[in-house]
Amino acid sequence: MARLSSLARQQGFDSREDFLRDIIERVAFEEFQFESEVRYQLLVSQYNQMQEWTVEQIGHAIATLLSSQPKIESRE
């Protein structure tokens, strides 16, 4: 406990309770940032997958449309 109080004073805190509160708040904030980053990465991954799927579907639709059109023979 004395070591904690000494560290708190060295860091400019009025008490070890304030020092501990600051540490806990920083840990909680870092955890929030980490969770936010994980959610963001998941969202970006899902968005990229959706884009790829959309491009594939459009490609298939265009190919189907083109293959269903009557062929025009050239007159030479």
Side-chain angles (χ1 to χ4, degrees):
M1 292 289 203
R3 172 91 173 117
L4 191 55
S5 296
S6 175
L7 282 172
R9 281 193 298 276
Q10 288 174 2
Q11 298 288 326
F13 291 92
D14 294 331
S15 68
R16 69 172 183 258
E17 288 80 13
D18 290 342
F19 180 57
L20 289 172
R21 187 177 299 112
D22 182 66
I23 291 172
I24 291 169
E25 286 175 358
R26 282 190 277 153
V27 167
F29 182 70
E30 288 174 9
E31 185 176 324
F32 173 77
Q33 284 183 311
F34 175 76
E35 290 173 358
S36 295
E37 179 67 21
V38 168
R39 285 192 302 266
Y40 174 76
Q41 291 300 330
L42 179 62
L43 180 64
V44 168
S45 175
Q46 290 173 339
Y47 176 77
N48 288 337
Q49 290 174 357
M50 185 182 69
Q51 269 190 317
E52 290 173 14
W53 180 83
T54 302
V55 168
E56 288 176 12
Q57 296 303 309
I58 291 172
H60 291 304
I62 291 172
T64 301
L65 178 65
L66 291 176
S67 67
S68 68
Q69 297 293 316
K71 303 237 189 286
I72 300 175
E73 296 180 23
S74 62
R75 296 182 189 180
E76 291 184 37

